[in-house]
Amino acid sequence: MVFSWRGGPGSQRLLLWLLLLAAWEAGSGQVHYSVPEEAKHGTFVGRIAQDLGLELAELVPRLFQLDSRGHGALLEVNLQNGILFVNSRIDREELCGRSAVCSVHLEVIVDRPLQVFHVEVEVKDINDNAPVFPATQKNLFIAESRPLDSHFSLEGASDADIGANGLLTYRLSPNDHFSLDVPTNDEDAKPLGLILKKLLDREESPELHLMLTATDGGKPELTGTVQLLITVLDANDNAPTFDRTLYRVKLPENVPNGTLVIKLNASDLDEGLNGNIVYSFTNDVPVTVKSKFHINPTNGEITTIGHIDFEESKSYKIRTEATDKGSLPLAGHCTVLVDVVDSNDNAPELVLKTLWLPVKEDAPTGTVIALISVTDRDAGVNGQVTCSLTPHVPFKLVSTFKNYYSLVLDGTLDRESVSAYELVVTARDGGSPSLSATASVSVEVADVNDNAPAFAQPEYTVFVKENNPPGCHIFTVSAQDADAQENARVSYSLVERRVGERALSSYVSVHAESGKVYALQPLDHEELELLQFQVSARDAGFPPLGSNVTLQVFVLDENDNAPALLPAGAGVAGGALSELVPRSVGAGHVVAKVRAVDADSGYNAWLSFELQPAAGGAAGPFRVGLYTGEVSTTRALDEADAPRQRLLVLVRDHGEPALTATATVLVSLVESGQALKTSSRVSSGGPGPEAALVDVNVYLIIAICAVSSLLVLTLLLYTALRCSAPPAEGACVPGKPTLVCSSAVGSWSYSQQRRQRVCSGEGPPKTDLMAFSPSLPPCPASTDELGDQHTSMDPSGKPRQPNPDWRYSASLRAGMHSSVHLEEAGILRAGPGGPDQQWPTVSSATPEPEAGEVSPPVGAGVNSNSWTFKYGPGNPKQSGPGELPDKFIIPGSPAIISIRQEPTNSQIDKSDFITFGKKEETKKKKKKKKGNKMQEKKEKGNSATDNSDQ
């Protein structure tokens, strides 16, 4: 469709003005309607939903609301068709009085998203009020002597309507004496009155009856009438007159009662009673004016007697008259206009409409929290209101329309920091002094799941004894969540994984609510030393958040395994050892060795050997080493000794309670020649048990020698290669002392020197024998501090009790479980032509004076495998270059033993030859015994040397 319009320049300008007016109305966000007053219920006003751009289907879901701001339910909206209609009677005069413009302001509020529309409905006036005179009859007393064109004031009619409907015209009933004088406007100083056109004659007409009619300009016209009763009087021919016919006064509001407004002055040219003047308000002055103002009848002073309020009435029009006291009283008239001056006597009023509470802590910036409307009944600057908000809060006020504000979010919220805000909105006008009003808004912050459960520490260490009852409680984990309600309800679970061939859940479980960790089955230290797993804590929020904590469960050893005897290389039925011993051997000859292992660790695996006494209680010629298991002779054998002896060796661990095992050793005493013959017969006649035992021993010695030779050759080659290389910085400097300590989880000792270097330099030698465990991390403690914690044998010869937190590493257990001695690995030679020297191990060391002294690995809280060996006087250290190896390895253990020698001129006691860790305490205790037992040690040592030569 094509629209074409032609017109002159004036029409084009009119169209332009119409377009600008439409654009202004659209920008202001208002919709205007009009409706006549007194319209019936259901009268159509406008299609408000369509004009606001709202769909009919979304009126109910978006919570369509209509607020008429205190005017009641004059108008309503049909949510089915979106039509605004009249709901109840609208009386314009009651609603707006005589105001030129009367409108009802509506607020339309819809949610999702929040929108506010403003609608103005103008109420059109209809001619529903007829003109009304103050009285139905007016009495006038006019002297017959009044000249022509005399003016007699009348009280005009009033019409509640406005505009043309309230524009009144007057007409007087036909007569010969009077005409009607009508003022041109309301403020005309000359009131409505009668003009005398013909002299009166009391004798001819003492009374005149006239009808005054007032007609408005409405369609249809409405009229009002008043009867004029004119009584013709005699004499008094001069009426009082005022200085001015119109007085204008400015009066501030809230003045106290009795305040003088104005003093009127009227004069009368007559004398006597005819010149005495009385002031009064005319009969047409409204009651509201008479309730606020008073005129003194004698002096004409007008004073206040009521509360003057600018918000109630901005001006007052007071008509006064001055009447003389003549027999035929005459009166003069004037008008007083009182303009009320506004003062700042009304504080602003705040109306708060909360729309969205509580506010989620993740609400975006700009979220509307509440709507606020502000009003002030004052005018001008006194009625201009500004709003402010409590400072330093993540909210702000945004002006939306005139005196309307929105409280919106202006920052991020965190319920864990601040869970609620107490906001104060302050409205302040521009008066002097200014007045203000406040309103409090409590904004609660709703929680969202933005905090994961947190454990007090990332890792926990738990110690549990083995053989625990199934289902026992071993630990409790606890995580805290800073959120609230469901978001803070924490549940616990295992992070499933495989432990060997089995699932983690077959070992432990965790209670979902309390966080208690239970062992589902008995734990075995020999099977599982460390069980490491994770427990997950997860809250009940959406989406759920969680965190993990690591638990290291160390299974502590209990003495639940008895010593087990190793099978003999050749023996008789029942696992007994059978040995042939020549009668010519001397004291200290080693007859046999009992080997045993214990599956436990630490003290529980530390074995001691004890020879059971004979049946008769007599002492035999044999004894057994307390910790070596070596069966040796105590004296030279003679003919009185039985040729066959059965020895019972009791193997006992150091657990609580101790467990034992018994080994049987069958010793046959033979002559030296007979032993050789027996060996020949066995080799020719067929292998017997004794021959098989001899063969096995020979093969074992050959194998040990071969392995030892390869070891020594390898060490020599390695030493030559290292020393032939260019010297590196720090290659031959003295090493740091060995660090013997326990880690946080109870591991065995280790050295901070991870890599051992073999050096042939002339650095200061040491007698310390250092054990390195390469599988453990460095320990921050010093060697001296840890070395002081080692505990040796007490004076009674029994090992002291270990500390409850005693732990052992795999290296110690491997060395203690296997009863392999350095003798089996070969004989370490001191050098060409020098004596042979046997080197003790952990299982071969004995505390007896003949074989040296030993300090067992006990310590108060120190998990150490450090041992101290001291040789007696019978086995003095042989000095000389190359007589001792720099290092050797204990079979069955990953530990490396390094030996450093003291120089020949050293003042250190040569009996302290080999030590593990700190040795000072052992020295002090053992030196006291050396003087009394020196000779006995020498004899024992010589016999041991003869045995090694054999």
Side-chain angles (χ1 to χ4, degrees):
M1 179 178 68
V2 179
F3 174 81
S4 63
W5 179 73
R6 297 180 180 179
S11 300
Q12 293 179 358
R13 284 195 296 272
L14 177 61
L15 178 60
L16 179 60
W17 279 108
L18 291 175
L19 291 176
L20 291 175
L21 178 61
W24 179 84
E25 291 181 353
S28 65
Q30 287 193 354
V31 177
H32 294 268
Y33 298 106
S34 64
V35 61
E37 67 173 331
E38 305 295 339
K40 295 181 180 180
H41 173 76
T43 301
F44 173 85
V45 178
R47 300 184 181 275
I48 188 171
Q50 178 179 348
D51 296 338
L52 294 178
L54 301 175
E55 298 293 335
L56 296 180
E58 65 181 5
L59 296 183
V60 175
R62 294 187 64 184
L63 305 178
F64 185 95
Q65 301 178 37
L66 184 66
D67 186 6
S68 59
R69 296 190 61 187
H71 293 301
L74 298 177
L75 301 168
E76 283 292 337
V77 175
N78 188 336
L79 299 181
Q80 304 299 325
N81 52 24
I83 293 177
L84 179 67
F85 63 92
V86 177
N87 187 47
S88 61
R89 174 180 173 272
I90 302 177
D91 188 355
R92 184 190 182 284
E93 287 73 24
E94 179 182 352
L95 188 64
C96 301
R98 296 190 58 82
S99 178
V101 177
C102 183
S103 61
V104 177
H105 180 75
L106 303 177
E107 294 178 9
V108 177
I109 303 174
V110 292
D111 203 353
R112 303 172 186 166
L114 175 67
Q115 290 181 288
V116 180
F117 303 93
H118 302 273
V119 178
E120 294 283 343
V121 179
E122 183 180 1
V123 180
K124 296 291 186 180
D125 183 47
I126 64 173
N127 194 23
D128 58 341
N129 293 282
V132 178
F133 285 94
T136 60
Q137 180 177 318
K138 175 70 174 177
N139 295 324
L140 295 175
F141 299 90
I142 302 175
E144 62 178 348
S145 61
R146 296 296 297 267
L148 295 178
D149 296 327
S150 296
H151 185 273
F152 305 96
S153 297
L154 298 176
E155 298 172 0
S158 62
D159 195 328
D161 296 326
I162 64 170
N165 296 328
L167 185 62
L168 302 180
T169 59
Y170 297 89
R171 72 177 180 274
L172 189 64
S173 61
N175 65 88
D176 295 331
H177 295 277
F178 296 95
S179 65
L180 191 63
D181 184 14
V182 181
T184 57
N185 54 66
D186 282 346
E187 294 186 2
D188 194 343
K190 188 176 181 180
L192 178 67
L194 296 176
I195 302 297
L196 183 62
K197 296 299 183 182
K198 183 181 179 180
L199 294 177
L200 296 175
D201 187 2
R202 181 181 176 278
E203 290 70 27
E204 181 181 355
S205 301
E207 290 184 352
L208 296 175
H209 294 274
L210 302 178
M211 179 70 72
L212 179 61
T213 303
T215 305
D216 60 22
K219 299 294 182 180
E221 296 178 348
L222 299 178
T223 61
T225 60
V226 62
Q227 290 288 336
L228 300 179
L229 178 58
I230 301 174
T231 302
V232 181
L233 303 175
D234 273 343
N236 199 14
D237 54 353
N238 287 292
T241 58
F242 288 94
D243 297 338
R244 296 163 58 183
T245 58
L246 178 64
Y247 295 91
R248 186 178 291 274
V249 180
K250 292 185 179 295
L251 180 67
E253 66 172 334
N254 303 322
V255 294
N257 291 339
T259 301
L260 177 64
V261 179
I262 191 173
K263 183 178 181 180
L264 301 178
N265 184 28
S267 60
D268 194 324
L269 297 178
D270 295 328
E271 294 181 355
L273 293 176
N274 294 331
N276 292 335
I277 297 174
V278 177
Y279 298 94
S280 63
F281 293 140
T282 62
N283 293 333
D284 60 349
V285 173
V287 178
T288 56
V289 176
K290 291 181 179 180
S291 66
K292 296 182 181 297
F293 299 96
H294 170 73
I295 185 169
N296 190 314
T298 303
N299 56 23
E301 290 181 353
I302 299 177
T303 57
T304 60
I305 60 174
H307 179 63
I308 307 300
D309 190 0
F310 174 84
E311 288 73 36
E312 181 180 342
S313 179
K314 296 177 177 60
S315 65
Y316 295 94
K317 185 176 183 181
I318 307 173
R319 296 186 183 275
T320 62
E321 64 180 4
T323 305
D324 59 24
K325 294 182 180 180
S327 58
L328 298 175
L330 301 177
H333 298 84
C334 73
T335 301
V336 179
L337 292 179
V338 180
D339 295 326
V340 181
V341 179
D342 180 48
S343 63
N344 191 26
D345 60 339
N346 292 280
E349 297 178 359
L350 285 168
V351 179
L352 200 63
K353 300 178 181 179
T354 302
L355 296 180
W356 187 12
L357 288 177
V359 183
K360 291 187 176 181
E361 59 177 323
D362 62 347
T365 302
T367 300
V368 178
I369 310 299
L371 292 180
I372 303 172
S373 64
V374 186
T375 57
D376 194 317
R377 296 178 61 195
D378 294 324
V381 177
N382 297 331
Q384 295 178 0
V385 182
T386 57
C387 282
S388 61
L389 189 63
T390 306
H392 310 299
V393 292
F395 302 93
K396 68 177 180 179
L397 291 175
V398 178
S399 178
T400 55
F401 178 78
K402 290 184 179 178
N403 288 335
Y404 286 84
Y405 294 86
S406 295
L407 178 63
V408 300
L409 184 62
D410 190 37
T412 58
L413 300 177
D414 186 7
R415 189 204 65 83
E416 290 70 37
S417 300
V418 181
S419 60
Y421 292 89
E422 294 296 332
L423 307 180
V424 178
V425 181
T426 303
R428 188 177 300 275
D429 60 26
S432 179
S434 63
L435 300 179
S436 63
T438 60
S440 297
V441 185
S442 181
V443 180
E444 181 182 355
V445 182
D447 183 55
V448 296
N449 192 25
D450 56 347
N451 289 279
F455 291 94
Q457 57 190 71
E459 183 177 294
Y460 293 95
T461 300
V462 183
F463 298 97
V464 180
K465 291 184 178 181
E466 66 174 333
N467 303 322
N468 57 283
C472 72
H473 171 236
I474 62 175
F475 194 68
T476 300
V477 294
S478 178
Q480 302 297 326
D481 197 311
D483 293 321
Q485 298 177 354
E486 290 298 315
N487 296 331
R489 185 163 58 86
V490 180
S491 60
Y492 303 91
S493 62
L494 286 176
V495 179
E496 188 61 66
R497 70 179 185 88
R498 304 292 296 179
V499 180
E501 299 296 329
R502 300 169 60 181
L504 174 65
S505 56
S506 64
Y507 287 96
V508 293
S509 68
V510 61
H511 193 274
E513 296 181 359
S514 65
K516 291 185 176 180
V517 181
Y518 298 94
L520 299 181
Q521 64 180 11
L523 300 177
D524 189 1
H525 173 80
E526 289 72 36
E527 176 186 348
L528 185 66
E529 296 182 16
L530 172 62
L531 180 61
Q532 181 170 317
F533 59 92
Q534 287 187 329
V535 175
S536 174
R538 190 169 297 272
D539 58 30
F542 182 81
L545 301 177
S547 61
N548 295 343
V549 66
T550 300
L551 264 67
Q552 289 186 337
V553 179
F554 286 89
V555 182
L556 303 182
D557 183 52
E558 291 288 316
N559 192 26
D560 56 346
N561 291 280
L565 298 173
L566 293 178
V572 297
L577 291 176
S578 180
E579 297 291 344
L580 296 178
V581 179
R583 289 183 179 273
S584 60
V585 296
H589 177 75
V590 177
V591 176
K593 175 177 283 192
V594 177
R595 295 177 174 84
V597 295
D598 196 313
D600 296 321
S601 60
Y603 260 108
N604 298 329
W606 186 21
L607 302 182
S608 62
F609 301 87
E610 179 183 349
L611 186 62
Q612 293 292 92
F622 299 100
R623 64 180 178 89
V624 63
L626 180 59
Y627 299 110
T628 62
E630 294 180 347
V631 180
S632 60
T633 58
T634 61
R635 56 180 174 78
L637 299 180
D638 53 24
E639 296 298 331
D641 295 325
R644 295 183 61 85
Q645 297 197 21
R646 182 184 183 90
L647 306 180
L648 296 180
V649 179
L650 183 65
V651 184
R652 185 192 309 272
D653 58 27
H654 288 75
E656 291 290 342
L659 301 179
T660 61
T662 304
T664 302
V665 179
L666 299 178
V667 179
S668 299
L669 303 181
V670 296
E671 299 298 334
S672 298
Q674 185 180 357
L676 294 176
K677 294 178 181 180
T678 304
S679 300
S680 302
R681 288 197 302 269
V682 168
S683 59
S684 60
E690 294 81 358
L693 179 61
V694 173
D695 293 341
V696 170
N697 289 337
V698 173
Y699 296 149
L700 180 60
I701 292 173
I702 295 174
I704 291 174
C705 293
V707 172
S708 300
S709 301
L710 291 175
L711 175 62
V712 172
L713 181 60
T714 303
L715 291 176
L716 293 176
L717 181 60
Y718 179 76
T719 302
L721 291 176
R722 292 288 293 180
C723 293
S724 62
E729 183 180 357
C732 297
V733 298
K736 295 182 179 180
T738 306
L739 192 60
V740 181
C741 67
S742 65
S743 68
V745 297
S747 59
W748 273 91
S749 63
Y750 55 89
S751 173
Q752 290 181 342
Q753 290 179 295
R754 291 298 187 124
R755 182 175 58 190
Q756 291 75 41
R757 298 179 179 179
V758 179
C759 179
S760 60
E762 295 299 325
K766 299 289 182 180
T767 59
D768 292 340
L769 180 62
M770 295 173 288
F772 301 92
S773 178
S775 61
L776 295 175
C779 174
S782 66
T783 305
D784 294 338
E785 293 174 352
L786 293 175
D788 292 339
Q789 298 177 8
H790 290 294
T791 305
S792 62
M793 303 292 288
D794 59 18
S796 62
K798 297 181 180 180
R800 295 180 182 176
Q801 294 296 327
N803 191 279
D805 60 352
W806 168 270
R807 308 288 180 267
Y808 306 96
S809 66
S811 62
L812 179 63
R813 289 199 304 274
M816 296 183 67
H817 288 179
S818 61
S819 298
V820 181
H821 312 293
L822 288 181
E823 297 92 321
E824 298 172 356
I827 302 301
L828 300 179
R829 302 286 181 176
D836 297 338
Q837 177 63 58
Q838 292 183 340
W839 291 91
T841 64
V842 171
S843 61
S844 64
T846 114
E848 302 177 16
E850 296 84 326
E853 300 173 355
V854 62
S855 178
V858 259
V862 179
N863 303 321
S864 174
N865 59 354
S866 299
W867 291 77
T868 300
F869 299 93
K870 296 183 180 180
Y871 283 86
N875 294 295
K877 174 183 175 298
Q878 302 296 328
S879 60
E883 68 178 78
L884 299 175
D886 289 334
K887 61 175 72 176
F888 59 89
I889 301 174
I890 298 178
S893 171
I896 300 176
I897 307 302
S898 176
I899 300 176
R900 295 177 180 173
Q901 306 175 46
E902 291 292 339
T904 56
N905 58 352
S906 175
Q907 299 299 323
I908 298 177
D909 190 352
K910 296 304 185 291
S911 63
D912 300 336
F913 191 77
I914 304 176
T915 60
F916 280 76
K918 194 76 174 179
K919 62 188 178 182
E920 298 300 330
E921 293 182 4
T922 306
K923 287 182 180 182
K924 295 177 181 179
K925 294 180 180 179
K926 299 306 178 178
K927 284 180 179 180
K928 297 179 180 180
K929 301 179 182 180
K930 291 183 179 179
N932 300 329
K933 300 181 180 181
M934 186 64 70
Q935 186 62 33
E936 185 179 355
K937 287 185 179 180
K938 290 182 178 181
E939 294 175 359
K940 299 293 182 179
N942 293 332
S943 61
T945 305
D946 296 337
N947 293 335
S948 61
D949 292 336
Q950 293 175 2

